């Protein structure tokens, strides 16, 4: 048997299948987001806008009638709809008359350090990217200046934000370009604005694996230095532009993850409450602790402002899951977020069109399904926002 011929055939088949899939994904994007295949954030009802701003809908109506702030879009039934940019403009307007600073613009003030949140777990299916994407979008919609960083070569966070690596990034454009060992680029050249005000993106693709391949070679030559500082040093270049950085870490404990661990000020570990996932997490935590010891021995400060576990894809009616949740809460106490992220067809169905739940219309789902999922997501993300505020010394 000619094994070389078989290998060549397999390589050709895999390459062909990859090209077919990329073409189909591109066609799907063009059909979903015409005419220029670019995503756009949906409009928000006046009730949704009021909730995001923390005011009454009647107050928004009064501002509109008084001619203050942006003019909302009026439907045929005279209902008001606001864009995400309108909501941000209203934030700035409301902040000028706020009773105390930060009521409507909750981001950093003088002396506050940028929060860098690493979302991690090395087991696939733990909800890591779903968690990172919804957290970044929720914080941006609530008025924080957010940078989302896709450090996963699989680039799911990137795809969720309307960037298809095969088509949109033929010449790189990932964090690798800013942390590579030869001729790194300024980070600002890599950052892309998204269709959501306050939210920028550093996309990912397979190019990130170059850092995993290059670091051992450079270490062997004695030139890598403190390689695990490279992500932190890159982010320091844009520190004044953001309140929060959300990093979607790769699902393995490699050099990229080690560098993200060193950069992070807060860690969010996703847990799917099934016993096999908990057993896997046990190994993940042990290996993470060992890695952090190695980094600390090299002189890095590995203290973090906070670390929390977030329960993902949780089904409250599943008795075995409830036992696992009780077990985790008994062991880790308040290190487990109070709010779990529920398993929901609304979240998974939104993902079919490469969208988050914050991007899809409520009318696309049954009301109870949508509201239940949205309430769950908001509770998780707002609990994390509270941790951020506490870190900055605010209740």
């Amino acid at each position: 048997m000619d094994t070389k011929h078989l290998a060549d055939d397999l390589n050709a088949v895999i390459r062909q299948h990859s090209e077919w899939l990329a073409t189909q994904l591109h066609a799907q994007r063009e059909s979903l987001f015409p005419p220029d295949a670019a995503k756009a954030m949906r409009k928000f009802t006046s009730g949704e806008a009021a909730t995001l701003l923390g005011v009454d809908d009647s107050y928004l109506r009064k501002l509109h009638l008084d001619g203050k702030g942006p003019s909302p879009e009026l439907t045929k039934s005279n209902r008001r709809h606001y864009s995400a940019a309108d909501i941000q403009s209203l934030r700035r307007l409301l902040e000028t008359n706020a009773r105390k600073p930060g009521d409507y613009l909750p981001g950093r003030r003088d002396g506050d350090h940028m929060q860098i949140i690493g979302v991690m777990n090395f087991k696939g299916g733990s909800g890591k990217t779903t968690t990172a994407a919804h957290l970044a979008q929720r914080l941006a919609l609530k008025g924080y200046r957010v940078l989302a960083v896709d450090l996963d070569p699989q680039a799911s966070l990137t795809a969720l934000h309307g960037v298809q690596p095969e088509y949109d990034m033929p010449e790189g454009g990932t964090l690798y370009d800013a942390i590579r060992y030869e001729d790194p680029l300024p980070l600002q050249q890599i950052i892309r604005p998204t269709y959501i005000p306050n939210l920028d993106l550093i996309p990912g693709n397979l190019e990130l694996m170059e850092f995993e391949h290059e670091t051992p070679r450079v270490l062997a030559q004695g030139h890598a230095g403190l390689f695990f500082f490279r992500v932190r040093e890159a982010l320091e270049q844009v520190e004044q532009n953001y309140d929060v950085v959300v990093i979607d870490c790769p699902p393995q404990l490699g050099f990229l993850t080690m560098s993200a661990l060193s950069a992070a000020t807060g860690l969010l570990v996703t847990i799917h409450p099934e016993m096999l996932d908990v057993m896997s997490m046990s190994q993940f935590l042990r290996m993470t602790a060992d890695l952090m010891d190695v980094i600390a021995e090299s002189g890095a400060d590995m203290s973090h402002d906070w670390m929390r576990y977030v329960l993902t894809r949780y089904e409250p009616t599943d008795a075995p899951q409830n036992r696992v949740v009780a077990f985790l809460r008994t062991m880790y106490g308040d290190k487990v977020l109070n709010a779990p992220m529920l398993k929901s067809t609304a979240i998974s169905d939104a993902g079919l069109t490469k969208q988050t739940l914050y991007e899809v219309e409520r009318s696309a789902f049954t009301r109870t399904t949508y509201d239940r999922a949205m309430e769950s997501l908001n509770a998780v993300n707002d609990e994390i926002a509270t941790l951020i505020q506490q870190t900055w010394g605010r209740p």
Side-chain angles (χ1 to χ4, degrees), residues 60-331:
L60 284 190
R61 184 185 301 110
K62 184 178 185 303
L63 288 176
H64 170 55
L65 293 175
D66 292 345
K68 296 179 180 178
S71 297
E73 177 186 295
L74 295 177
T75 67
K76 291 180 179 179
S77 58
N78 217 33
R79 295 183 182 276
R80 289 166 291 120
H81 284 77
Y82 295 85
S83 69
D86 291 338
I87 294 172
Q88 182 61 15
S89 295
L90 285 166
R91 283 192 184 282
R92 289 192 290 268
L93 173 65
L94 293 169
E95 184 70 17
T96 60
N97 298 312
R99 285 178 294 181
K100 64 179 186 297
D103 277 352
Y104 301 100
L105 292 173
R108 295 164 62 195
R109 303 176 207 161
D110 290 344
D112 296 337
H113 61 273
M114 181 171 68
Q115 282 283 288
I116 304 172
I117 303 173
V119 184
M120 54 185 60
N121 195 322
F122 69 14
K123 191 174 191 306
S126 66
K128 184 172 55 63
T129 298
T130 300
T131 300
H134 285 92
L135 174 61
Q137 291 189 4
R138 175 69 172 178
L139 291 176
L141 290 170
K142 293 290 284 184
Y144 294 85
R145 301 170 302 161
V146 183
L147 176 63
V149 181
D150 195 345
L151 211 57
D152 187 346
Q154 298 176 71
S156 298
L157 184 73
T158 300
L160 272 175
H161 287 92
V163 180
Q164 189 176 341
E166 307 96 307
Y167 276 86
D168 302 327
M169 302 170 61
E171 298 179 359
T174 72
L175 189 65
Y176 169 72
D177 290 333
I179 63 174
R180 63 193 182 201
Y181 296 98
E182 294 183 7
D183 302 319
L185 294 177
L187 190 65
Q188 192 61 57
Q189 293 186 21
I190 302 161
I191 295 173
R192 298 179 178 218
T194 71
Y195 45 90
I196 300 175
N198 291 340
L199 178 58
D200 290 343
L201 173 71
I202 296 179
N205 68 10
L206 288 173
E207 181 189 57
L208 286 163
M209 289 303 299
E210 293 297 320
F211 189 73
E212 302 287 358
H213 299 152
E214 286 182 2
T215 299
R217 175 176 57 81
V218 178
L219 281 171
Q221 295 171 352
H223 302 312
L226 300 178
F227 72 89
F228 40 80
F229 283 156
R230 298 189 79 82
V231 170
R232 177 189 298 180
E233 290 169 350
L235 291 175
E236 285 173 352
Q237 299 173 28
V238 296
E239 183 174 4
Q240 297 307 311
N241 300 337
Y242 300 100
D243 303 313
V244 183
V245 178
V246 178
I247 304 178
D248 186 18
C249 295
Q252 68 267 347
L253 290 174
F255 296 111
L256 285 168
T257 302
M258 290 174 72
S259 199
L261 272 171
S262 178
T265 61
L267 297 180
L268 196 61
V269 180
T270 56
I271 309 175
H272 180 218
E274 299 277 2
M275 188 50 70
L276 287 177
D277 293 76
V278 172
M279 291 167 62
S280 172
M281 192 187 73
S282 172
Q283 298 302 308
F284 167 78
L285 293 175
R286 178 172 296 182
M287 292 175 65
T288 301
D290 289 345
L291 285 175
M292 291 177 75
D293 284 344
V294 171
I295 297 172
E297 288 170 4
S298 299
D301 179 7
M302 293 306 293
S303 60
H304 294 81
D305 293 330
W306 52 268
M307 173 188 175
R308 292 293 186 274
Y309 301 99
V310 56
L311 302 167
T312 60
R313 296 167 53 216
Y314 172 52
E315 299 178 77
T317 58
D318 187 315
Q321 280 199 15
N322 282 325
R323 286 196 288 272
V324 171
V325 169
F327 170 68
L328 291 170
R329 292 197 186 280
T330 300
M331 274 198 307

